[in-house]
């Protein structure tokens, strides 16, 4: 509400575009006109609804046997009026990134303005869930259910910090009174009633949101935040996510095809017993402690926790690998404009303060001396001289997890 009051609103179109784009990324629902030859009944019959979570498509060359039997009808996009918010944003995109380099992002912006919603099925099986559903849509990106990320440098770096991240998470969340008092939006639930329909057992604790760090939560989880920053992950969002015992998330889409979702499993009850599972399209995999997985949540997906304990993961939204660096920057600029609309202002003073505000939002929060000491201590523990002490500490932690699981967190 505070942001809405600060927003520059030239006309009604500005409001419509801004709300639709925000809804698209957060996974909330807004009825729009569909330009597609996939009948809407396909979704209604299977009770596909909007996302309970936070995030021309072509079949991947790795999926060369895939047959596309239904695609969104091609449409011609036209520039929005120059005096509209969408028009001003597009002019800024052209000026900053160039018509050629940002052509797909500009087309995506125009499709959003036109109310386009992309629905595409990738198999001839009418019962298949390998269906992409997105209205924040960049044409031409590879569509793949699960992605191999083990070869990526950022994935290797983050994986190596798994035990540190898990131990910090267990330590900080063991004192929920302090965490709620000093943190921000701790274990936030679904944002809308529609999202609640997927299941009430899914909650989040945010660290980074579309270019802005959550200073309060970063200071509560400095090891995790620093590991994310130092791993140089192409992130759009980062948050912890919990899934309650004996709960499920129904089939849905996150409505955005230009980001992929990655999970670092932290505490998986009955690890390795296939009790906590994620299905993307027609492929199902189980979460395994410390093993990073990456997938496309613009494809219909669901999840289940069949254990009697809560499941915890670190969740990341990352830019789609097919995007060029210029396209990533251009898409980030769209988010920046929605967060700070004065970035498209023609008033030099408004523009100056908007850029300063954005700079502050993007800066990594300072960490107190006590937190810095914790980080330094952690670094020393990882040195060869202290390997035996470090192994002893890890064994004790593993014992606690094996004995207590995550029931204590669920109770709190």
């Amino acid at each position: 509400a505070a942001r809405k009051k600060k927003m520059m609103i030239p006309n009604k179109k500005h409001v419509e575009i801004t709300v639709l784009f925000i809804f698209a990324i957060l996974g909330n629902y807004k009825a729009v006109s569909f330009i597609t030859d996939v009948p809407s009944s396909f979704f209604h019959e299977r009770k596909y609804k909007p996302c309970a979570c936070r995030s021309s498509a072509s079949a991947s060359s790795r999926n060369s046997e895939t047959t596309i039997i239904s695609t969104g009808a091609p449409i011609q996009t036209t520039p929005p009026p120059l005096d509209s918010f969408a028009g001003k944003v597009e002019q800024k995109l052209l000026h900053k990134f160039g018509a050629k380099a940002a052509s797909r992002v500009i087309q995506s912006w125009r499709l959003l303005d036109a109310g386009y919603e992309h629905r595409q099925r990738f198999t001839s099986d009418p019962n298949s869930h390998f269906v992409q559903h997105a209205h924040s849509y960049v044409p031409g990106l590879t569509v793949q259910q699960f992605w191999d990320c083990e070869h990526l440098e950022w994935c290797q770096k983050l994986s190596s910090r798994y035990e540190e991240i898990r131990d910090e998470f267990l330590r900080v969340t063991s004192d929920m009174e302090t965490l709620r008092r000093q943190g921000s939006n701790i274990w936030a639930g679904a944002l809308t009633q529609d999202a609640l329909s997927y299941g009430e057992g899914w909650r989040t604790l945010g660290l980074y949101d579309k270019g802005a760090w959550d200073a309060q939560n970063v200071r509560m989880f400095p090891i995790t935040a620093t590991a994310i920053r130092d791993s140089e992950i192409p992130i759009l969002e980062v948050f912890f996510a919990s899934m309650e015992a004996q709960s499920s998330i129904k089939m849905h889409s996150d409505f955005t095809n230009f980001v992929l979702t990655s999970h670092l499993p932290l505490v998986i009850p009955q690890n390795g017993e296939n009790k906590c599972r994620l299905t993307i399209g027609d492929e199902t995999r189980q979460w395994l402690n410390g093993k990073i997985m990456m997938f496309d949540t613009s494809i219909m997906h669901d999840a289940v926790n069949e254990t009697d304990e809560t499941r915890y993961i670190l969740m990341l939204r990352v830019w789609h690998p097919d995007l060029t660096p210029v396209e990533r920057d251009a898409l980030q600029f769209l988010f920046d404009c929605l967060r700070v609309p004065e970035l498209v202002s023609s008033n030099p003073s408004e523009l100056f303060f908007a850029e300063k505000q954005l700079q502050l939002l993007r800066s990594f929060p300072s960490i107190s001396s006590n937190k810095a000491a914790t980080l330094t201590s952690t670094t020393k523990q990882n040195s060869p001289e202290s390997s035996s002490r470090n192994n002893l500490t890890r064994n004790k932690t593993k014992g606690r997890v094996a004995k207590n699981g995550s029931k204590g967190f669920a109770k709190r």
Side-chain angles (χ1 to χ4, degrees):
R3 285 179 189 160
K4 278 187 178 180
K5 290 179 182 178
K6 295 179 181 178
M7 286 174 61
M8 176 184 65
I9 306 179
N11 53 42
K12 183 179 178 181
K13 198 65 172 179
H14 175 184
V15 179
E16 292 174 350
I17 294 170
T18 303
V19 172
L20 178 56
F21 197 78
I22 292 174
F23 273 38
I25 301 306
L26 293 181
N28 297 325
Y29 183 77
K30 178 174 175 62
V32 294
S33 58
F34 301 140
I35 305 174
T36 174
D37 61 1
V38 179
S40 58
S41 60
F42 176 83
F43 290 82
H44 295 311
E45 289 168 2
R46 290 161 180 75
K47 298 182 180 179
Y48 292 167
K49 298 181 180 179
C51 175
C53 312
R54 281 285 207 231
S55 76
S56 141
S58 60
S60 166
S61 58
R62 302 173 196 172
N63 292 332
S64 56
E65 295 181 3
T66 297
T67 301
I68 301 175
I69 64 169
S70 190
T71 63
I75 65 171
Q76 296 296 320
T77 59
T78 56
L82 294 178
D83 62 345
S84 67
F85 178 73
K88 292 177 180 180
V89 171
E90 181 169 320
Q91 290 304 305
K92 284 283 187 176
L93 283 172
L94 290 167
H95 176 73
K96 289 175 67 71
F97 305 105
K100 183 176 181 180
S103 60
R104 290 197 299 184
V105 176
I106 291 171
Q107 185 179 4
S108 176
W109 185 243
R110 291 179 180 179
L111 288 172
L112 187 69
D113 184 37
Y116 176 78
E117 183 157 340
H118 188 83
R119 293 178 174 184
Q120 185 167 356
R121 193 188 305 170
F122 291 87
T123 173
S124 58
D125 181 0
N127 296 315
S128 170
H129 295 302
F130 192 2
V131 176
Q132 185 177 58
H133 184 192
H135 46 67
S136 280
Y137 176 76
V138 172
L141 302 181
T142 300
V143 180
Q144 192 168 305
Q145 294 168 117
F146 282 89
W147 291 68
D148 177 16
C149 64
E150 294 180 354
H151 66 286
L152 299 175
E153 186 175 356
W154 67 260
C155 180
Q156 296 168 2
K157 289 181 179 179
L158 189 63
S159 293
S160 70
R161 307 291 296 274
Y162 159 64
E163 291 185 340
E164 296 173 66
I165 294 171
R166 179 203 61 197
D167 291 352
E168 179 183 61
F169 175 82
L170 292 173
R171 183 177 67 255
V172 175
T173 56
S174 68
D175 184 359
M176 286 303 299
E177 182 179 349
T178 299
L179 181 57
R180 289 196 176 97
R181 185 175 66 250
Q182 299 182 7
S184 170
N185 293 320
I186 304 303
W187 297 129
L191 297 174
T192 68
Q193 190 61 40
D194 285 321
L196 277 173
S197 67
Y198 291 114
E200 299 180 5
W202 193 92
R203 296 184 179 275
T204 65
L205 195 166
L207 296 175
Y208 183 88
D209 181 39
K210 305 175 191 70
W213 290 96
D214 187 313
Q216 290 175 263
N217 290 346
V218 164
R219 293 184 183 112
M220 297 302 297
F221 298 92
I223 293 174
T224 301
T226 303
I228 292 164
R229 181 197 62 187
D230 294 348
S231 296
E232 300 179 302
I233 307 169
I235 52 172
L236 186 65
E237 291 178 279
V238 181
F239 49 92
F240 295 107
S242 68
M243 188 175 184
E244 291 182 356
Q246 298 297 333
S247 68
S248 63
I249 300 174
K250 298 176 184 178
M251 191 67 70
H252 66 280
S253 166
D254 287 356
F255 295 134
T256 306
N257 83 320
F258 52 77
V259 295
L260 300 180
T261 299
S262 181
H263 288 177
L264 171 60
L266 299 178
V267 180
I268 306 301
Q270 297 181 234
N271 185 54
E273 298 181 20
N274 204 35
K275 296 292 186 177
C276 294
R277 302 183 302 278
L278 173 70
T279 297
I280 307 294
D282 297 329
E283 187 174 351
T284 300
R285 297 186 183 181
Q286 64 174 317
W287 285 286
L288 296 170
N289 283 328
K291 184 175 177 59
I292 294 179
M293 55 203 306
M294 189 164 73
F295 40 88
D296 187 340
T297 50
S298 68
I299 298 170
M300 307 307 295
H301 60 284
D302 60 16
V304 63
N305 175 6
E306 294 177 339
T307 77
D308 295 328
E309 301 172 0
T310 304
R311 179 231 63 181
Y312 296 98
I313 61 170
L314 179 66
M315 189 165 179
L316 307 96
R317 304 285 198 199
V318 300
W319 294 113
H320 194 292
D322 288 356
L323 295 171
T324 67
V326 171
E327 288 174 327
R328 292 182 186 181
D329 290 344
L331 286 166
Q332 181 61 60
F333 180 71
L334 294 181
F335 287 110
D336 294 342
C337 287
L338 294 173
R339 188 186 294 272
V340 187
E342 291 79 10
L343 286 170
V344 301
S345 174
S346 58
N347 183 309
S349 178
E350 284 188 349
L351 182 59
F352 173 80
F353 285 108
E355 290 174 345
K356 288 297 181 182
Q357 181 183 353
L358 190 62
Q359 185 178 352
L360 287 173
L361 288 168
R362 286 189 176 174
S363 61
F364 189 79
S366 61
I367 299 173
S368 68
S369 57
N370 290 338
K371 299 293 185 180
T374 301
L375 289 174
T376 302
S377 175
T378 301
T379 302
K380 289 180 179 179
Q381 287 176 4
N382 289 333
S383 64
E385 294 82 2
S386 62
S387 59
S388 59
R389 183 176 71 239
N390 194 39
N391 288 335
L392 177 60
T393 301
R394 289 176 179 175
N395 288 335
K396 287 181 178 179
T397 303
K398 288 177 181 178
R400 287 197 301 271
V401 173
K403 182 179 179 181
N404 298 324
S406 54
K407 285 184 178 179
F409 305 119
K411 288 179 182 178
R412 293 184 183 91

